[in-house]
Amino acid sequence: MRICLGCWLLLALVGVAAAAPAAPPAPVDIDPLIARGTYGTIKISPTGAYYAVTVRQAERTVLAIIRRADRKVSARVAGAKFSDIADFWWVNDERVVVSMAERFGSLERPFATGELHAVNADGKNARLLVGYTDVDRSSSGASVDFSGRYRIASLVDDLPNDDDNILVALAEADSASPWTGVERVNVNNGRRTRVTRAPVQRAQFVTDGKGALRYALGFDDDNYSRLFYRDNDQDEWRLVNDEWQSHRQDRPLGFSADGNRVYFQVTEKTGTDAIVLVDLASGKRSELQRDELVDPYAITYDYRHQPIAASYMRDRLETRFFDEQSEAAKAQRMLERAFPGSAVMGTTSTRDGALSVVGVFSDRDPGAYFLFNRETRKADYILSARDDFDAEAMAASEPIRFQARDGLSLHGYLTRPRGSDGKTPGPMVVLPHGGPFGVFDGWDFDTDSQLLARAGYTVLRVNFRGSGNYGHAFQVAGARQWGGRMQDDLSDATRWAIAAHIADPERIGIVGASYGAYAALMGAVLAPELYRCAVGYVGVYDLAKVHKDDSHYADWTRAFVEQWIGPIDRLDALSPSRLAERIKAPVFLAAGGADRTAPIEHSRMMERALKAAKVPVETLYFDQEGHGFYSDAHRRAYYVHLLDFLARHLGGARARQGAGG
């Protein structure tokens, strides 16, 4: 047989052309996406003369007081490097109380230091009320004998009808299971008066409309709740619910305007949480609301501090009023019509309820605040969480539902790249959330999902068992399921996306932070056929180390670890750092040397194990960073490395190089 040399050359060239890879996607400008918002929480003063708003700066978060009339900053409260604002409250129209906090990582919640400061709206008469250097100003003896040691303070009630005083809970700083005393504190001179001592450890308090302490909810070392009640400040506390006996947790939300009824969020062993109204005289319990799928997400209060509505995070956020014919309900529905496609939540209002600050957000918009005038029915723009942010350029998150292998219904969100036809399988990233218990993904703005979608990936977020929001039984179903059924849920979600022609099975990665990092590495261990790469950001990878570290803190933390992670003798078999030889996919690890939540030793152990197993591993460590990189430069370095790593293994876009990297 004779071969035509010219034909052979033509076929060879055609074959080469057919096999040539597609042009790489255009690099992504990540800076607008990873930039942290400037503004956080905003609250209006009792008469509406001022706003107080948290402002994020490079190394701290500060509180700014802004005159509403001219938008000028009249005062500023700032702490040391890495300080944050845990919370703040208007005590009267001229004075604000501030709870200070520390934050060492972008994924951490601010850790309240227990310091309370007070300052006038014009910046004058700044005073430390409770803290490391305060002088004991108790007028009638301390409610708890602290022997001169530092006390942690938290606000119980800002007492709207008292312009000079607040109620503060004080607990011993170095106690893991503190007994708490409550004192009345004068915000002008710091003088304190004893009110009560909590009848239970780790107590939280609820007051009535007159500022009397009526409920104390706490937890014993077995982590079961105990609820105590009294009729007034002179009565003794009496036990009204023991979760161990009743198999029910009653969490008081607040009193009715007349003080004769109490609203509770009730958690039972089965079903979702309910909103229940209890008549104090008769003891009659009436269920007001219960969603068949999800728990209450947030409670709305009116200007009298009375609960009036509950919000529910179903496919998106829904608000339901206890009285749908009320003026507040009608105003809410009007605002929802004015902001279609967004969620609307009230935050604070003036003392007479005439002016209210409302937050508006969506899956594509991190949010903005508006001032609603009850009389004119107008909502005027105040500020946005992120300046110059183009929400229209963001990708939408669609709710999903499917069944796990054992028949349990699971929910989550799918974020596809803009322009996707929804029919062609493409590269996908599975993004398990942190926590894991009680935490869940909702219909809100998620930076990582938007960043990955911009780079060309479909993003799959799953509320695996153990997550919050879907009832107590759903959360408990995740107990002792690290590396077990919680992990199976993620694998089942990935296979669901493949079967639904959402994901290209040859281009799927798994990326997570904190517990999500553990789940990412365990995904690579238990389902190596599913994932082409895995990323662990500030993760824990050795459960025996978690058990040992957390068990030393207190009896209740030891009980928690046993209840939710499991006995230490079975944890090696559930730790990716002990199972690295089963990992086939390349791994990228990132961690901070100052991380107290997931110490960097976890990542170093994982790295050593991967190298010993000859698994390709890349690392990015910053010694000064905590649980989530705080520095803008370090955050950018992480996301640049992340997109580069995913591009090499899944084929998406890299980050555009710029001034930041």
Side-chain angles (χ1 to χ4, degrees):
M1 183 177 64
R2 297 177 64 184
I3 298 177
C4 172
L5 182 59
C7 294
W8 181 86
L9 288 173
L10 179 61
L11 289 172
L13 289 171
V14 170
V16 169
V28 174
D29 181 8
I30 67 172
D31 293 316
L33 288 166
I34 67 173
R36 287 175 295 203
T38 303
Y39 302 106
T41 304
I42 181 171
K43 297 182 181 182
I44 195 168
S45 66
T47 66
Y50 298 94
Y51 297 119
V53 58
T54 55
V55 182
R56 298 183 184 94
Q57 298 182 339
E59 294 181 329
R60 59 182 57 82
T61 297
V62 305
L63 184 72
I65 311 298
I66 302 171
R67 283 193 302 268
R68 190 164 69 88
D70 58 9
R71 296 294 186 100
K72 299 294 185 181
V73 175
S74 61
R76 179 175 174 271
V77 179
K81 185 177 180 180
F82 301 130
S83 65
D84 210 318
I85 307 297
D87 207 345
F88 58 95
W89 307 268
W90 286 99
V91 181
N92 55 58
D93 210 56
E94 295 295 332
R95 198 148 179 82
V96 179
V97 170
V98 184
S99 172
M100 298 301 297
E102 295 177 339
R103 187 202 296 265
F104 295 102
S106 60
L107 299 181
E108 288 182 329
R109 292 182 178 180
F111 177 79
T113 62
E115 297 173 87
L116 292 180
H117 296 255
V119 64
N120 287 351
D122 60 4
K124 297 179 180 179
N125 194 23
R127 178 183 293 275
L128 174 66
L129 299 178
V130 183
Y132 290 100
T133 59
D134 74 307
V135 177
D136 189 346
R137 303 180 182 89
S138 299
S139 62
S140 56
S143 58
V144 178
D145 181 10
F146 294 108
S147 303
R149 285 175 287 186
Y150 174 53
R151 290 150 291 184
I152 295 176
S154 59
L155 187 127
V156 174
D157 194 330
D158 57 6
L159 301 177
N161 298 318
D162 185 340
D163 285 348
D164 297 319
N165 295 286
I166 57 177
L167 290 179
V168 172
L170 292 164
E172 191 174 333
D174 58 0
S175 173
S177 298
W179 291 93
T180 308
V182 178
E183 298 185 359
R184 188 180 303 273
V185 179
N186 186 293
V187 297
N188 301 305
N189 57 31
R191 191 169 180 81
R192 300 198 289 265
T193 305
R194 174 181 177 175
V195 178
T196 190
R197 183 180 190 271
V200 63
Q201 298 178 83
R202 293 183 280 152
Q204 305 164 16
F205 298 90
V206 174
T207 57
D208 61 19
K210 298 178 181 179
L213 290 160
R214 302 288 294 278
Y215 284 98
L217 176 67
F219 298 84
D220 288 332
D221 288 337
D222 58 9
N223 293 318
Y224 284 93
S225 68
R226 301 177 74 202
L227 180 67
F228 290 80
Y229 171 80
R230 64 184 190 176
D231 291 321
N232 53 61
D233 280 346
Q234 286 70 49
D235 278 1
E236 296 295 322
W237 293 105
R238 63 180 186 271
L239 181 67
V240 293
N241 185 57
D242 185 335
E243 185 182 358
W244 175 261
Q245 299 292 333
S246 68
H247 308 292
R248 182 190 76 229
Q249 184 180 126
D250 289 347
R251 183 163 66 86
L253 302 173
F255 284 75
S256 61
D258 60 14
N260 295 326
R261 294 164 296 167
V262 186
Y263 296 86
F264 286 88
Q265 181 168 333
V266 178
T267 302
E268 297 181 283
K269 293 182 69 174
T270 60
T272 52
D273 288 6
I275 304 297
V276 172
L277 185 63
V278 176
D279 183 273
L280 288 174
S282 67
K284 181 181 177 182
R285 300 169 68 94
S286 304
E287 185 175 295
L288 295 181
Q289 290 183 1
R290 185 195 297 266
D291 186 273
E292 73 279 1
L293 177 64
V294 299
D295 297 328
Y297 175 78
I299 305 299
T300 300
Y301 294 82
D302 67 7
Y303 62 94
R304 299 167 298 182
H305 289 204
Q306 174 184 322
I308 58 173
S311 298
Y312 298 87
M313 185 64 77
R314 290 180 59 92
D315 292 345
R316 53 182 296 168
L317 194 68
E318 302 174 10
T319 299
R320 302 171 194 167
F321 284 80
F322 306 149
D323 177 5
E324 282 290 345
Q325 301 307 311
S326 65
E327 287 301 314
K330 293 175 182 177
Q332 173 77 16
R333 304 307 175 219
M334 186 191 73
L335 288 167
E336 290 171 349
R337 291 191 295 271
F339 298 100
S342 296
V344 179
M345 294 189 72
T347 60
T348 60
S349 64
T350 52
R351 189 165 289 171
D352 59 4
L355 300 174
S356 301
V357 175
V358 296
V360 179
F361 69 91
S362 74
D363 55 337
R364 300 197 299 166
D365 188 343
Y369 290 104
F370 294 80
L371 183 66
F372 177 69
N373 187 306
R374 187 177 63 185
E375 182 177 346
T376 65
R377 317 296 277 181
K378 290 184 177 180
D380 295 321
Y381 173 81
I382 304 173
L383 52 83
S384 296
R386 298 191 188 187
D387 293 330
D388 303 323
F389 189 83
D390 185 6
E392 295 300 317
M394 298 297 106
S397 292
E398 59 187 271
I400 59 169
R401 302 183 186 191
F402 62 96
Q403 284 191 326
R405 65 188 68 179
D406 61 357
L408 185 67
S409 293
L410 299 176
H411 300 76
Y413 294 88
L414 199 67
T415 306
R416 305 177 195 260
R418 283 179 59 84
S420 169
D421 61 10
K423 300 177 181 178
T424 305
M428 186 179 80
V429 172
V430 181
L431 196 66
H433 64 67
F437 304 112
V439 179
F440 65 95
D441 286 316
W443 186 80
D444 52 15
F445 185 85
D446 183 74
T447 296
D448 284 8
S449 295
Q450 295 293 341
L451 179 77
L452 293 168
R454 182 68 64 88
Y457 303 104
T458 293
V459 182
L460 177 61
R461 294 182 291 153
V462 181
N463 288 320
F464 44 84
R465 70 193 72 202
S467 304
N469 196 46
Y470 299 94
H472 179 68
F474 185 86
Q475 183 170 324
V476 170
R480 297 190 174 190
Q481 292 301 318
W482 289 58
R485 290 181 178 176
M486 286 199 297
Q487 198 68 44
D488 291 343
D489 290 347
L490 293 169
S491 299
D492 292 348
T494 306
R495 293 188 175 99
W496 168 83
I498 294 171
H501 303 290
I502 293 167
D504 178 349
E506 299 301 318
R507 292 193 292 167
I508 301 175
I510 184 166
V511 177
S514 197
Y515 170 83
Y518 166 87
L521 271 294
M522 279 304 288
V525 168
L526 297 175
E529 75 282 2
L530 288 179
Y531 305 113
R532 297 296 171 265
C533 59
V535 177
Y537 179 39
V538 296
V540 293
Y541 309 110
D542 190 284
L543 296 189
K545 177 175 172 55
V546 173
H547 193 291
K548 291 174 184 176
D549 290 348
D550 290 356
S551 293
H552 288 162
Y553 181 64
D555 289 342
W556 70 268
T557 60
R558 186 180 304 110
F560 181 89
V561 170
E562 289 283 338
Q563 291 163 352
W564 291 94
I565 298 181
I568 195 169
D569 59 4
R570 63 184 289 266
L571 298 184
D572 282 356
L574 302 172
S575 299
S577 62
R578 313 282 178 160
L579 304 168
E581 70 281 355
R582 296 172 59 179
I583 296 177
K584 308 304 178 186
V587 173
F588 168 38
L589 301 173
D595 192 339
R596 301 173 297 183
T597 303
I600 196 172
E601 183 56 25
H602 280 275
S603 295
R604 297 193 186 278
M605 291 170 66
M606 191 72 240
E607 178 191 359
R608 290 193 295 267
L610 290 166
K611 287 181 176 178
K614 295 183 169 43
V615 177
V617 56
E618 303 171 24
T619 61
L620 182 67
Y621 300 148
F622 292 111
D623 290 341
Q624 298 81 22
E625 289 287 358
H627 197 56
F629 297 164
Y630 198 90
S631 156
D632 289 341
H634 294 167
R635 280 167 52 81
R636 192 179 202 283
Y638 166 69
Y639 284 113
V640 167
H641 197 141
L642 172 67
L643 291 191
D644 179 73
F645 178 79
L646 295 176
R648 283 183 273 120
H649 300 293
L650 304 180
R654 289 176 166 83
R656 190 174 75 191
Q657 295 299 312

